[in-house]
Amino acid sequence: MQRKSRSRRGSACQLSNAHWPGEETSVTELRGRRRCRSSAAMDGRRWLPLEANPDFLCQLGLRPSWQFGDVYGLDMELLSMVPKPACAVLLLFPVTEKYESFRQEEEERIKARGQEVSPDVYFMKQTIGNACGTIGLIHAVANNQAHLEFEADSPLKKFLEKSSKMSPDEKATFLEKDENIRVTHESSAHEGQSETPSIDEKVDLHFIAFVNVGGQLCELDGRKPFPIVHGKTSEDSFLEDAAEVCKVFMARDPQELHFTVIALSKA
């Protein structure tokens, strides 16, 4: 089956769409918004579903020395097109019954066996519906502050400094009260290319982040109770290691085609 591929690039700080030409590691073009899933457990505060917007991180005060860009495929040839070094990967994927079943089994298995997680990981829970895109970006940026540059009055930098010692639940509550990030999120949602959806619209796509913290490949998902460690990694191998985990997500739901991968790389 042939799949069409189009790229969409823009200014620095862009969250752009990724497409896979080919068969085994391909996805179709995602139509409409790339939005976070409104979990049934999040019955209270909700934000508008966030579309990929070039200016979101810039509006939060992140300088464009690093930027998000397309990952066109998960094989070595296409991964080589991604600028290096890459310090974070965001995966957008469909939340299906298969995935939810796996998520529950994974949580129970880790609680029973335990795992070693670096104390330096910045991790927060998601308590705001439709906020997974923003939380994915926060996870990507927060765990790479040694690489990234901020404006002096950056709202995101201030949020990270004030929340650095908080628990994952406290960080979530702190985000609920942060008007600067909320307003920027809402503004970005309205500035997207497609029609702004209802705040209560059901969305079945979800953003998560992968980062390298202390040589550990960490999956950060605010819907989970803790980070998931996927083994060792390094600055040189991070992108390839994260791609292998993304392949597992795709293989779990082989009939699903709505997957997108973007990487935060040196400009």
Side-chain angles (χ1 to χ4, degrees):
M1 179 175 61
Q2 184 177 3
R3 295 172 170 87
K4 295 182 179 179
S5 171
R6 293 190 305 174
S7 65
R8 193 181 75 186
R9 288 193 175 275
S11 62
C13 300
Q14 180 172 8
L15 270 176
S16 53
N17 307 330
H19 313 282
W20 283 255
E23 278 293 326
E24 293 185 356
T25 59
S26 63
V27 296
T28 57
E29 177 184 351
L30 288 177
R31 294 175 174 83
R33 291 175 173 264
R34 283 60 181 167
R35 291 168 293 183
C36 170
R37 180 175 188 263
S38 294
S39 170
M42 299 170 194
D43 295 327
R45 186 185 298 263
R46 290 182 179 178
W47 291 353
L48 286 171
L50 181 66
E51 185 178 25
N53 188 300
D55 298 321
F56 181 64
L57 284 178
C58 293
Q59 291 170 359
L60 288 176
L62 183 67
R63 292 179 177 173
S65 54
W66 292 67
Q67 57 186 304
F68 280 99
D70 300 329
V71 176
Y72 291 102
L74 299 181
D75 57 46
M76 291 301 295
E77 180 179 359
L78 292 172
L79 288 175
S80 68
M81 299 172 61
V82 179
K84 298 288 184 70
C87 67
V89 166
L90 294 188
L91 171 66
L92 180 68
F93 65 96
V95 177
T96 64
E97 291 183 6
K98 285 185 179 180
Y99 174 74
E100 290 293 77
S101 176
F102 167 79
R103 184 170 67 93
Q104 184 62 38
E105 293 172 359
E106 177 187 59
E107 179 180 333
E108 293 173 356
R109 182 175 66 254
I110 292 176
K111 285 181 176 179
R113 299 179 181 178
Q115 66 173 351
E116 292 187 9
V117 181
S118 169
D120 297 326
V121 175
Y122 183 105
F123 175 69
M124 66 184 301
K125 302 287 277 298
Q126 180 183 346
T127 56
I128 304 170
N130 297 332
C132 66
T134 292
I135 289 173
L137 291 171
I138 290 174
H139 279 146
V141 172
N143 288 286
N144 286 290
Q145 295 182 69
H147 300 300
L148 307 177
E149 299 176 350
F150 298 84
E151 301 294 345
D153 59 348
S154 166
L156 181 55
K157 181 65 173 178
K158 293 177 181 178
F159 175 87
L160 297 178
E161 290 175 345
K162 292 179 179 179
S163 63
S164 62
K165 303 300 182 182
M166 296 180 182
S167 70
D169 290 301
E170 289 170 339
K171 290 184 179 80
T173 300
F174 192 54
L175 180 62
E176 291 178 4
K177 300 175 181 178
D178 192 299
E179 285 299 297
N180 285 322
I181 294 179
R182 183 192 65 79
V183 170
T184 303
H185 174 109
E186 299 286 316
S187 174
S188 295
H190 281 291
E191 291 172 1
Q193 294 182 353
S194 56
E195 182 181 355
T196 302
S198 165
I199 198 169
D200 295 318
E201 180 177 335
K202 180 178 174 59
V203 179
D204 290 317
L205 298 174
H206 186 59
F207 273 112
I208 61 174
F210 296 97
V211 295
N212 170 16
V213 180
Q216 290 183 326
L217 176 60
C218 297
E219 171 194 333
L220 304 177
D221 180 349
R223 294 181 66 227
K224 295 184 177 181
F226 37 69
I228 307 297
V229 178
H230 289 283
K232 296 181 179 180
T233 191
S234 67
E235 182 175 312
D236 292 335
S237 67
F238 166 72
L239 181 62
E240 290 77 13
D241 294 336
E244 289 301 314
V245 181
C246 292
K247 289 179 183 179
V248 174
F249 274 76
M250 296 173 70
R252 189 177 297 122
D253 279 292
Q255 303 304 314
E256 290 286 344
L257 300 175
H258 295 82
F259 293 85
T260 298
V261 180
I262 53 179
L264 179 58
S265 303
K266 183 74 173 177

